[in-house]
Amino acid sequence: MASGSITSVGIGSGLDLQNILDQLKEADRGVINAKVAKKTGYQKEINSYNGVNAKLFAMKSNALDLSLQSNYMQSSSSVTDDNILDAVVVVGVEESSYTIDFTQKAQRNSWESAGTASVNDIMFAEPVTGIAGPDEVVTTISETMSIYYGESGSEQQIDISLASGLSLTEIVEQINSSSNNQDGDGVQRVNASLGLNSDEEYYIRLSAVSGGNSADSEISVAGFTYVQADTMISITQDDTSMYLSVRPGASFQEVTDLINTAADNPGVTAAMIDNGDASDPYQFTLSADNTGENARITLSNLVLTEVTGAAAASLDAMLTVNGIAYRRQSNEAISDIITGVTLNLRNIGETTVNIETDMSSIKENIISLVEGFNNLVSYIKGSNDTTEEKTSDDEKEDETVNPLAESNDVNRLISKLKSLMTSIVDIDSGYTSLADLGMVVNKDGTISLDEDDLDQAIASNPDAVTSLFLGDAEKDITGMGDLINDSIKNMVSSQGVIATEIDTLKAMSARLDKDIETSTERLDKRYETMTAEFIRLDSYIRQLNSEASYMQTMFDSFNNSKE
């Protein structure tokens, strides 16, 4: 029966027995409370040791970076005029300088048509026939119509015998049904159909049954003014060709759409532009999607004027690097001229690219290493900053008092770190200690670093800074980076003093947990027994009080009767 669960203790007797029980139990709980407080102290120490560990790991990370040779191979580039170009350098490029004279940007080959009044104006004219109806007789003599089908140089000749007195409709039927107009499998090659031009004059249109758009489906016919085949245009770039079969009467806009939506477009874009002319403001333009000579456009059956790249003018970027001439297809991502450097060309002009060793990350790690030591010292002294607002006196005390401040092990660790930070590396390179880089030890045990001195040391002798931290493997000289990194590695290892202290505190805390649990169970059991005894006492006193009351009544009755 747990204390506090009996609310009737003392009701019968009129005595505050429950309060007496609670006070007795609280007095007996003092021993347990002392153990809880001790466990809290252990946890504070564990948290502080973990804080020390975290700060040591931060220092170790900086020391490790300072011990890695690859971090001293960082390179940076500077351009005297970054309006002309920018340069991106990779790791490990040696210090060097390049004079670059950029004389021509890589350009996109472009073509244009003459101006026209509307985007819907006809680009490929239909024949003018003067034929008013499809049944009008157009042949006055017997003759043979020769239609050529296929790629230039290997065409198939399709001969159609025409008698005198045939109409357009009859000629269409004769072409489509002719056995000469079939391949070896009996499949029709050329389709004839009736067309109507913008003046409502009839003509015969010849198109490929296959749909065209290939070199081997080109159609041509000559000598018959009332017959016109689809025009096969071709656009070629770098030995890759696109073929498009264009119907008679196709508009500028229609041809524009055909080119841009073609599945085998080699890399060109057609457009109808408004040049602002009062009478003929629209022009058909064709431009390469990419720059350079490899993207130069070759046309067939498109009457256009070359603009960019005309008269065989080069489309390549042209530049000289240290006097040597280069040509490139693009202005961007040129990475095959200067090893390890990518150039992005912007504007014509002359500039200089300087490649330098970038020690900025080394400087940051040196500063962070010193700051890490100072943070650790401040943390142990209990003067570390916190971003959380403390409200109670206990919390404020926790902020400023570190339970490890008087720890001999921790203070020895701080002394060892200070010795490492001030140690001298026996290397003949100009700098032998952090003091040569601007570090001084303060009276309060912290370390100061003059960043101006550090900048000057790095700028004047970066190789000496490198040697200080890397050492010399051939001479078996350990650099400052490995010296600090290896020492801290031992401090934070599972066998180090911090891990050992944490394990010890955790074991002591676990034993206290068990002791607190056992003592609490024993106390609760004891007061369950006492509560039961108090209940019996309360009942007994209530009985006595009842009997006393009865006796008092009897006495009062006797006295009253006597009177």
Side-chain angles (χ1 to χ4, degrees):
M1 184 181 299
S3 174
S5 64
I6 304 301
T7 59
S8 61
V9 176
I11 292 177
S13 64
L15 299 176
D16 193 1
L17 299 180
Q18 183 65 56
N19 186 43
I20 294 172
L21 275 173
D22 291 341
Q23 290 186 35
L24 289 172
K25 187 172 183 180
E26 188 60 33
D28 287 344
R29 191 183 291 277
V31 176
I32 297 175
N33 291 339
K35 293 177 181 178
V36 171
K38 193 172 185 179
K39 181 190 171 186
T40 301
Y42 288 159
Q43 188 58 52
K44 286 183 179 179
E45 288 190 57
I46 291 172
N47 293 341
S48 294
Y49 275 120
N50 283 329
V52 171
N53 236 5
K55 296 183 184 305
L56 284 173
F57 270 111
M59 290 185 66
K60 182 182 181 303
S61 176
N62 296 132
L64 177 61
D65 286 341
L66 290 168
S67 72
L68 299 176
Q69 187 172 8
S70 59
N71 288 336
Y72 295 83
M73 299 173 65
Q74 303 293 325
S75 302
S76 64
S77 62
S78 62
V79 182
T80 55
D81 189 344
D82 56 12
N83 289 318
I84 295 174
L85 58 85
D86 62 62
V88 180
V89 62
V90 299
V91 173
V93 178
E94 294 183 357
E95 293 189 355
S96 51
S97 181
Y98 301 89
T99 299
I100 299 178
D101 188 8
F102 180 29
T103 56
Q104 178 176 299
K105 297 184 71 171
Q107 303 173 78
R108 292 179 174 83
N109 190 207
S110 62
W111 298 71
E112 66 180 9
S113 71
T116 186
S118 169
V119 297
N120 295 316
D121 285 350
I122 292 174
M123 188 174 187
F124 287 88
E126 301 163 293
V128 178
T129 65
I131 301 173
D135 296 325
E136 184 177 325
V137 174
V138 295
T139 60
T140 58
I141 59 173
S142 296
E143 57 185 331
T144 298
M145 178 188 294
S146 294
I147 302 172
Y148 296 92
Y149 177 82
E151 188 174 1
S152 178
S154 58
E155 306 96 329
Q156 299 294 317
Q157 183 173 329
I158 302 171
D159 290 332
I160 307 296
S161 297
L162 303 178
S164 176
L166 295 178
S167 67
L168 291 181
T169 300
E170 290 171 326
I171 295 173
V172 166
E173 292 175 352
Q174 196 161 334
I175 293 173
N176 290 337
S177 61
S178 173
S179 59
N180 292 335
N181 187 18
Q182 295 177 356
D183 62 16
D185 296 324
V187 177
Q188 184 178 340
R189 289 190 175 105
V190 175
N191 179 67
S193 61
L194 291 173
L196 192 66
N197 67 20
S198 57
D199 293 327
E200 296 188 350
E201 298 173 346
Y202 284 87
Y203 66 94
I204 295 174
R205 174 191 171 190
L206 300 180
S207 60
V209 172
S210 64
N213 298 345
S214 63
D216 58 3
S217 60
E218 185 174 359
I219 303 170
S220 62
V221 62
F224 297 84
T225 58
Y226 54 83
V227 180
Q228 184 163 320
D230 289 357
T231 301
M232 182 69 71
I233 65 173
S234 68
I235 301 174
T236 303
Q237 275 187 323
D238 197 23
D239 297 329
T240 300
S241 298
M242 169 178 68
Y243 295 89
L244 292 173
S245 183
V246 182
R247 68 174 183 85
S251 69
F252 282 92
Q253 188 62 58
E254 185 178 346
V255 175
T256 298
D257 295 339
L258 282 173
I259 292 172
N260 291 338
T261 59
D264 55 350
N265 186 315
V268 298
T269 298
M272 290 299 295
I273 66 166
D274 184 347
N275 61 22
D277 186 81
S279 57
D280 294 318
Y282 296 100
Q283 282 182 281
F284 174 89
T285 63
L286 189 67
S287 302
D289 294 340
N290 296 317
T291 58
E293 280 296 325
N294 289 349
R296 183 180 285 276
I297 301 169
T298 302
L299 303 176
S300 175
N301 292 332
L302 268 176
V303 182
L304 301 175
T305 301
E306 191 170 15
V307 183
T308 306
S314 177
L315 298 167
D316 290 339
M318 295 184 182
L319 65 158
T320 63
V321 179
N322 288 348
I324 301 174
Y326 295 90
R327 294 172 60 149
R328 289 297 180 269
Q329 298 292 316
S330 172
N331 301 307
E332 303 292 329
I334 300 173
S335 59
D336 57 352
I337 295 179
I338 303 174
T339 302
V341 179
T342 298
L343 301 175
N344 297 298
L345 307 177
R346 298 287 177 254
N347 296 292
I348 291 172
E350 184 173 341
T351 188
T352 300
V353 175
N354 295 307
I355 311 300
E356 302 164 340
T357 301
D358 186 0
M359 297 287 283
S360 59
S361 64
I362 301 301
K363 174 186 173 181
E364 290 172 3
N365 276 305
I366 295 172
I367 293 172
S368 295
L369 182 66
V370 172
E371 288 177 347
F373 176 81
N374 290 336
N375 287 339
L376 180 59
V377 172
S378 298
Y379 180 75
I380 297 301
K381 290 183 176 180
S383 58
N384 55 302
D385 293 332
T386 178
T387 57
E388 296 182 3
E389 184 179 351
K390 304 299 183 180
T391 57
S392 69
D393 292 338
D394 289 340
E395 286 177 315
K396 291 178 181 178
E397 183 179 355
D398 289 342
E399 177 187 346
T400 57
V401 177
N402 191 309
L404 304 182
E406 303 302 325
S407 169
N408 291 330
D409 289 333
V410 171
N411 284 313
R412 279 195 295 270
L413 182 146
I414 294 295
S415 295
K416 185 173 182 180
L417 279 175
K418 185 185 296 182
S419 176
L420 287 169
M421 297 289 285
T422 57
S423 59
I424 295 176
V425 178
D426 186 17
I427 192 166
D428 184 18
S429 63
Y431 303 146
T432 59
S433 71
L434 291 178
D436 295 326
L437 307 184
M439 188 194 79
V440 294
V441 179
N442 302 318
K443 292 181 179 181
D444 62 357
T446 59
I447 293 174
S448 296
L449 183 65
D450 190 317
E451 289 193 33
D452 291 336
D453 289 348
L454 177 60
D455 287 335
Q456 184 176 354
I458 292 174
S460 61
N461 199 343
D463 290 339
V465 175
T466 302
S467 297
L468 172 63
F469 287 100
L470 294 184
D472 190 331
E474 293 183 358
K475 296 181 179 179
D476 198 26
I477 298 174
T478 302
M480 184 72 73
D482 278 330
L483 193 66
I484 297 175
N485 178 59
D486 292 343
S487 295
I488 297 180
K489 184 192 298 183
N490 293 330
M491 294 177 186
V492 298
S493 72
S494 59
Q495 305 300 319
V497 61
I498 295 176
T500 301
E501 288 296 327
I502 290 175
D503 289 343
T504 301
L505 287 167
K506 284 182 176 180
M508 294 168 65
S509 182
R511 286 195 295 271
L512 271 178
D513 272 337
K514 188 172 182 180
D515 196 7
I516 290 169
E517 182 181 0
T518 301
S519 297
T520 301
E521 289 176 355
R522 187 182 301 118
L523 182 65
D524 288 342
K525 187 174 181 180
R526 176 185 175 189
Y527 275 85
E528 283 179 8
T529 302
M530 289 180 66
T531 299
E533 291 175 350
F534 269 55
I535 290 172
R536 288 194 294 271
L537 175 62
D538 182 55
S539 177
Y540 180 66
I541 293 174
R542 179 170 59 84
Q543 184 179 353
L544 290 176
N545 286 339
S546 177
E547 291 177 356
S549 178
Y550 175 75
M551 291 298 295
Q552 185 64 47
T553 302
M554 291 296 292
F555 287 141
D556 290 344
S557 176
F558 176 77
N559 290 332
N560 290 336
S561 64
K562 189 174 182 181
E563 293 176 355

